[in-house]
């Protein structure tokens, strides 16, 4: 859930409804939606379109959990701006089978300058992929200890993270995203 321009709520209505919604807080009504596909098997956790939403004043970013894809929408029009899709990344979804389903994006931040997406990479474990809003890759970070949740201070160039296996520790990492 994100508040844009002090009066617009953008949120994911999943699992009740597979849609991203935009609500005017001033009028208290829906002003836009992005519908997401569902599948016949009916297990919403395993829908290919399940993902994580992030937004800033200009863009809405939707990173998919079960396929290697990130969609970037214009926040005012809800039109697709850029789709980042790795056609070489295999999608493997087995409804009801958590261990044998392939997971990709676990967390995403829509910064002012860049998109920061935590991706489960089979080769390196979790990696932080950084993209600009035109879809160009800017940086990629791997971790000895990966954060399960994180936030970014773009001005200071720091990732602040938390790993649920290390509850007593706060993780910090420097970032360098200058082209």
């Amino acid at each position: 859930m994100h508040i844009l321009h002090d009066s617009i709520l953008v949120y994911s209505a999943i699992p009740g409804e597979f849609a991203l919604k935009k609500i005017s807080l001033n009028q208290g009504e829906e002003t836009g939606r992005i519908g997401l596909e569902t599948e016949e098997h009916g297990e919403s956790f395993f829908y290919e379109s399940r993902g994580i939403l992030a937004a800033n004043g200009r863009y809405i970013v939707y990173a998919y959990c079960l396929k290697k894809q990130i969609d970037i929408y214009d926040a005012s029009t809800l039109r697709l701006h850029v789709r980042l899709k790795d056609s070489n990344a295999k999608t493997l979804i087995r409804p009801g089978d958590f261990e044998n389903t392939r997971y990709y994006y676990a967390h995403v931040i829509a910064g002012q300058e860049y998109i920061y997406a935590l991706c489960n990479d089979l080769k390196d474990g979790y990696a932080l992929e950084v993209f600009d809003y035109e879809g160009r890759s800017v940086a990629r970070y791997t971790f000895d200890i990966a954060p399960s949740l994180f936030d970014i201070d773009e001005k200071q160039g720091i990732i602040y993270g938390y790993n649920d296996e290390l509850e007593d520790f706060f993780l910090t990492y420097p970032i360098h995203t200058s082209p």
Side-chain angles (χ1 to χ4, degrees), residues 1-4 10 52-63 70-75 84 107-118 128-133 150-154 175:
M1 173 171 18
H2 300 274
I3 303 289
L4 310 179
V10 175
I52 301 142
L53 171 80
N56 64 23
R58 298 175 299 156
Y59 298 103
I60 297 170
V61 178
Y62 191 72
I70 298 173
D71 290 342
I72 305 167
Y73 296 92
D74 180 282
L84 306 173
H107 191 56
V108 65
I109 299 287
Q112 291 306 308
E113 298 294 323
Y114 301 108
I115 298 163
Y116 304 86
L118 189 63
L128 183 66
E129 299 174 343
V130 183
F131 302 97
D132 69 15
Y133 284 96
F150 68 93
D151 205 349
I152 304 289
D153 182 336
E154 286 182 315
I175 57 172

Side-chain angles (χ1 to χ4, degrees), residues 52-159:
I52 301 142
L53 171 80
N56 64 23
R58 298 175 299 156
Y59 298 103
I60 297 170
V61 178
Y62 191 72
Y64 292 80
C65 296
L66 301 177
K67 62 182 172 180
K68 193 146 177 20
Q69 179 176 320
I70 298 173
D71 290 342
I72 305 167
Y73 296 92
D74 180 282
S76 61
T77 66
L78 298 185
R79 286 193 186 109
L80 183 64
H81 175 69
V82 174
R83 173 166 285 154
L84 306 173
K85 185 171 183 174
D86 184 344
S87 56
N88 295 320
K90 186 177 179 182
T91 298
L92 178 60
I93 302 170
R94 295 194 172 134
D97 187 349
F98 293 93
E99 289 185 21
N100 293 304
T101 292
R102 175 76 172 92
Y103 302 93
Y104 285 99
Y105 292 103
H107 191 56
V108 65
I109 299 287
Q112 291 306 308
E113 298 294 323
Y114 301 108
I115 298 163
Y116 304 86
L118 189 63
C119 185
N120 185 1
D121 180 317
L122 292 176
K123 181 179 68 171
D124 295 320
Y126 280 97
L128 183 66
E129 299 174 343
V130 183
F131 302 97
D132 69 15
Y133 284 96
E134 298 306 314
R136 294 179 290 258
S137 177
V138 175
R140 186 173 186 278
Y141 300 95
T142 58
F143 305 95
D144 291 332
I145 301 171
S148 42
L149 295 173
F150 68 93
D151 205 349
I152 304 289
D153 182 336
E154 286 182 315
K155 287 184 182 179
Q156 299 297 318
I158 298 172
I159 302 169

